[in-house]
Amino acid sequence: MGFLAGRHVLVAGAGVTGRSAAEALLAADAVVTVTDGSADRLAALEQLLPGVTLTPGLVEPPSGTDLVVTSPGWRPSSPLLAAATAAGIEVIGEVELAWRMGLELADPPTWLAVTGTNGKTTTVGMLESILRAAGIDAVACGNVGLPVVDALLAGRRVLAVELSSFQLHWSPSVRPFAGVLLNLAEDHLDWHGTFEAYAAAKAGVLTGEVAVGGVDDPVVAELLAASPAAAHVGFTLGPPEEGQLGVLDGQLVDRAFGPSDEVLLPVADVHPGGPPGVADALAAAALARAHGVSAAAVARGLRDFTPGAHRAVLVATVDGVSYVNDSKATNPHAAAASLRSHESVVWVAGGLLKGASVDELVREEGHRLRGAVLIGADRSVIAAALARHVPSVPVVVLDEGSMVDAVREACSMAKPGDAVVLAPAAASMDMFTDYAHRGQAFTDAVLGLAGPAE
C-alpha cells in the first residue's frame, strides 16, 4: 500500500486486532513497532511477526513515529495515546486502517455496517447469511471476531461489518455504503464519559450513501433524520410507512426498496423470535436490500440463519420451569428485551454495570418478576433499584457463592410456568473470563439440576 510504505507505525495492543494490523502493515512495507502492557502477549508474537519491533509498556511513541494504530478498547486518555495526540501523531483503529487500505484498491469491497447497543452480532450474522444466500462473496467481520483488515486482504467482495462504539471512535473517515444503527441505551459510559459522546460515536455508521435506523427508538430516529446520507431508511416493529421496513399482518414487509408492501417472510420464520429478533431481521434485510439483494434471498438467508450461543438459549425445562441463558444481555437495554419475552421471570442478574442505570429496566419490567437473584460487583446497585421500584419482589443477594448457588436459589423461587432467565444487564469480567464463560457456567449449573431441554 503506497501510503504506508516506509512509514513508521506503532501498533498499540498485541491482541487479535493488533496482530492483524501489524501483519497488514508489514505487507504494506511499513516499519512496525508493537507495544502492549503484557510482555507475555508480545512474546507470543515474536515467531509470528518477524521484522516487527516488540516493545513492552510504552507510554509515549518512539521518536519518528508517523502513525499509531490502536486496539479498540484503549481509551483516548491512556498515557500512550494521549502522548501521541499531544505530539501531533494521528491515532486510528484497525477498522480505519482497513478502510484506508481498501481505498487504494482498484475495486474496493462494499461495506455494510451494523452498530447499536444491542443486537449487533445477531444482525451481522443474519446479514452474512442473506448475502451468501444471494450468492455474494461476503463475510461477517469486525467486532464479531474476524478483524476487518483480514477480511479485506482475503479479497472478500462484501464486508458485513459489526462495529462497536470504540471502533467507531477510532474510525473518523469510515463511510460504509450502507450502515444501520439498531438502538441506543446507556452503555460504556465509563469509556465515553457521557451518553452524548457514546451516541455520537455510534452515529458514525450513518455517514455513507444509505443510512438505516430503528425508528421505534426516538434517539435513533433523531440521529437518522440528521444523517448526511443520501437515503434514509427506517425499520419498525409496527406497520411501515413509505421508505421503511416493518411488520404487517404477521409478515416482514419492505416499503423502501421494492414494490410497495413487498413481503419478505413471515414473522414466525424469524429466529431468534420475539421483538429483538424481528428487529434485527428487519435491519439485516434493509442493508441487504440496499445492496440489491432480492426478497427471495432475504427470506432464504433469514431462514438459514442459526443464532449464536448465549443469546436467549433455552437450556432446559425442569419441573415446568424454563431456564434461559441470555448471558449476552450485558447491559440494561438488552436485559429488558430479554425479560420482555416472558410473562413470569426469576431474574439472575449482576456484574459490572459500566456506569449504566438499571432504574428504567426495573420500572418497566419489574411487574414480570417472580423474584431476583443478584451476583457480581454491582449486585447492590440492582438490589437498590428493585427495592425502590418493586419492593414486593423477593430478592436474594449473593455476596459470595458461585453460579451454581445462584441457579439453586432461582430454582427455589420459581413455579411451573415461570422462566429462570440469566440476563445479567452487566459485563462479566468481575467473576468470569467473558460473557460466554458466564453463560456456560449457568448452563452447567442448570444441567446439574436435570438433563437437557424437554
Side-chain angles (χ1 to χ4, degrees):
M1 297 290 168
F3 80 102
L4 291 167
R7 297 188 75 191
H8 288 71
V9 184
L10 173 64
V11 176
V16 174
T17 57
R19 185 181 70 191
S20 292
E23 289 175 339
L25 289 162
L26 280 177
D29 296 322
V31 179
V32 183
T33 299
V34 179
T35 189
D36 193 282
S38 168
D40 290 341
R41 276 199 294 267
L42 285 176
L45 299 185
E46 196 163 3
Q47 300 301 317
L48 296 172
L49 299 173
V52 169
T53 300
L54 304 173
T55 308
L58 286 177
V59 293
E60 59 183 30
S63 176
T65 299
D66 298 306
L67 177 69
V68 175
V69 178
T70 181
S71 295
W74 285 45
R75 303 185 189 200
S77 59
S78 64
L80 176 60
L81 303 188
T85 301
I89 301 169
E90 187 179 20
V91 181
I92 65 172
E94 172 265 332
V95 173
E96 176 75 12
L97 176 67
W99 176 258
R100 295 186 188 185
M101 293 177 72
L103 293 178
E104 293 209 335
L105 298 175
D107 186 18
T110 299
W111 288 46
L112 304 176
V114 177
T115 197
T117 301
N118 299 301
K120 297 184 293 297
T121 300
T122 298
T123 301
V124 85
M126 288 175 165
L127 176 59
E128 178 188 57
S129 183
I130 292 168
L131 294 169
R132 290 183 175 179
I136 295 169
D137 178 24
V139 67
C141 56
N143 197 52
V144 73
L146 175 69
V148 185
V149 72
D150 287 353
L152 175 81
L153 295 179
R156 299 290 192 160
R157 301 308 309 136
V158 178
L159 307 183
V161 188
E162 178 183 327
L163 294 174
S164 70
S165 59
F166 305 157
Q167 289 170 314
L168 283 161
H169 175 89
W170 294 119
S171 303
S173 67
V174 169
R175 302 289 181 269
F177 168 72
V180 62
L181 178 54
L182 301 170
N183 45 60
L184 278 174
E186 286 187 344
D187 200 13
H188 301 302
L189 301 191
D190 53 345
W191 199 96
H192 291 279
T194 66
F195 178 74
E196 290 73 22
Y198 170 69
K202 290 288 196 183
V205 81
L206 303 177
T207 55
E209 294 186 36
V210 182
V212 181
V215 295
D216 294 339
D217 183 320
V219 179
V220 173
E222 184 177 336
L223 291 171
L224 179 63
S227 160
H232 294 178
V233 176
F235 68 88
T236 173
L237 291 174
E241 299 178 1
E242 204 65 42
Q244 295 181 346
L245 284 76
V247 178
L248 186 63
D249 297 329
Q251 308 276 349
L252 270 63
V253 173
D254 178 3
R255 300 195 69 193
F257 297 104
S260 184
D261 292 350
E262 183 161 14
V263 173
L264 301 176
L265 81 166
V267 168
D269 289 353
V270 174
H271 48 95
V278 173
D280 295 344
L282 289 166
L287 292 181
R289 297 286 279 163
H291 188 58
V293 172
S294 70
V298 170
R300 283 198 304 274
L302 289 175
R303 289 190 178 106
D304 290 346
F305 173 69
T306 301
H310 311 292
R311 292 170 172 83
V313 176
L314 175 64
V315 176
T317 303
V318 182
D319 297 331
V321 176
S322 301
Y323 291 79
V324 177
N325 169 17
D326 201 2
S327 184
K328 189 61 171 66
T330 56
N331 56 62
H333 187 266
S338 188
L339 297 180
R340 206 171 293 133
S341 300
H342 308 277
E343 291 300 319
S344 181
V345 179
V346 177
W347 183 28
V348 181
L352 295 167
L353 287 170
K354 302 172 292 184
S357 168
V358 294
D359 282 277
E360 183 177 355
L361 157 63
V362 173
R363 273 198 307 270
E364 293 185 356
E365 308 304 333
H367 65 283
R368 303 178 187 278
L369 299 182
R370 168 86 64 188
V373 180
L374 306 179
I375 60 175
D378 289 329
R379 59 192 178 276
S380 61
V381 177
I382 302 174
L386 289 163
R388 280 193 296 274
H389 302 294
V390 282
S392 62
V393 170
V395 176
V396 174
V397 180
L398 294 179
D399 294 327
E400 296 181 359
S402 64
M403 185 64 80
V404 170
D405 298 315
V407 168
R408 285 174 178 161
E409 291 286 355
C411 176
S412 70
M413 289 182 176
K415 299 183 182 302
D418 289 347
V420 171
V421 180
L422 173 67
S428 58
M429 287 76 76
D430 55 336
M431 293 177 64
F432 304 94
T433 304
D434 52 25
Y435 76 84
H437 180 205
R438 177 172 60 192
Q440 190 59 52
F442 177 81
T443 298
D444 292 344
V446 171
L447 295 179
L449 297 175
E454 292 174 0

